[in-house]
């Protein structure tokens, strides 16, 4: 049965099944040794800012707040901690001195690279457990998700 043939209710149920499966996979992997290989005092809010900065090298504080749907003061506190730990840098915009620009430092880029590499290593460990046919299915599904991500983010800034 194709997606076009599914009712909206059936499609919503299948989506929830996939999301639940993802949740189960993350839960099982959290208990593995790979989760302990990455020790950090970075909070989830700080990690989100680092990931946004990794996608957009220099970002206005107001854009970070907007994307995260947080107040400027809340994001400012998160950024303060990142600056204190050397993971991010802040500067005043040369053109508009009212604007504060945030960027990753070399240490922040290294941190983000290590974090992302852990995720890739975990994915590789899962994929080697699959048959060649199963890897092909996952590769095709990944391409479908990449195209969907492109549609979702099309036209978005940051």
């Amino acid at each position: 049965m194709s997606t076009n043939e599914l009712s909206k209710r059936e499609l919503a149920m299948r989506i929830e099944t996939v999301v639940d499966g993802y949740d189960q996979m993350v839960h099982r992997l959290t208990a593995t040794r790979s989760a302990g290989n990455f020790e950090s005092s970075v909070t989830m809010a700080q990690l989100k800012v680092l990931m946004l900065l990794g996608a957009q090298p220099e970002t206005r504080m107001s854009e970070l707040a907007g994307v995260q749907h947080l107040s400027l003061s809340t994001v400012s506190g998160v950024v303060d901690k990142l600056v204190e730990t050397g993971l991010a840098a802040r500067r005043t915009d040369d053109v508009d001195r009212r604007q504060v620009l945030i960027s990753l430092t070399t240490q922040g880029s290294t941190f983000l690279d290590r974090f992302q590499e852990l995720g890739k290593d975990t994915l590789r460990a899962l994929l080697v457990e699959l048959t060649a046919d199963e890897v092909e299915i996952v590769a095709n599904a990944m391409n479908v998700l990449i195209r969907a991500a492109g549609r979702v983010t099309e036209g978005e800034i940051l």
Side-chain angles (χ1 to χ4, degrees):
M1 178 180 291
S2 73
T3 305
N4 295 336
E5 297 170 356
L6 291 175
S7 71
K8 287 183 181 182
R9 184 174 184 277
E10 290 170 322
L11 180 59
M13 288 173 48
R14 286 195 181 184
I15 288 171
E16 285 309 307
T17 299
V18 171
V19 171
D20 289 345
Y22 174 79
D23 190 46
Q24 288 177 40
M25 182 180 65
V26 168
H27 181 73
R28 288 181 183 189
L29 292 173
T30 300
T32 67
R33 59 180 152 63
S34 65
N37 288 341
F38 190 79
E39 293 186 24
S40 170
S41 60
V42 171
T43 66
M44 186 58 73
Q46 292 168 345
L47 182 59
K48 288 179 183 179
V49 169
L50 290 173
M51 293 176 85
L52 289 168
L53 293 174
Q56 176 116 359
E58 193 168 56
T59 306
R60 285 180 169 70
M61 185 80 79
S62 56
E63 290 174 340
L64 288 174
V67 168
Q68 293 192 12
H69 307 290
L70 297 172
S71 71
L72 196 53
S73 63
T74 300
V75 172
S76 184
V78 171
V79 169
D80 285 346
K81 295 292 184 190
L82 292 172
V83 170
E84 285 174 21
T85 58
L87 297 174
R90 92 167 24 121
R91 74 174 184 85
T92 304
D93 190 337
D94 296 334
V95 177
D96 182 353
R97 299 191 62 71
R98 296 171 297 170
Q99 295 293 322
V100 176
L101 298 170
I102 311 301
S103 60
L104 287 178
T105 61
T106 302
Q107 183 181 345
S109 292
T110 300
F111 175 91
L112 198 52
D113 289 346
R114 282 185 50 232
F115 180 78
Q116 290 171 337
E117 197 55 44
L118 176 63
K120 291 177 191 176
D121 288 346
T122 302
L123 182 57
R124 281 185 198 97
L126 290 174
L127 292 171
V128 299
E129 295 296 319
L130 304 179
T131 66
D133 288 342
E134 290 169 330
V135 170
E136 187 64 26
I137 291 167
V138 173
N140 290 332
M142 186 61 70
N143 287 329
V144 169
L145 289 171
I146 290 167
R147 287 193 302 273
R151 289 190 302 271
V152 167
T153 60
E154 198 172 274
E156 283 187 23
I157 298 173
L158 185 67

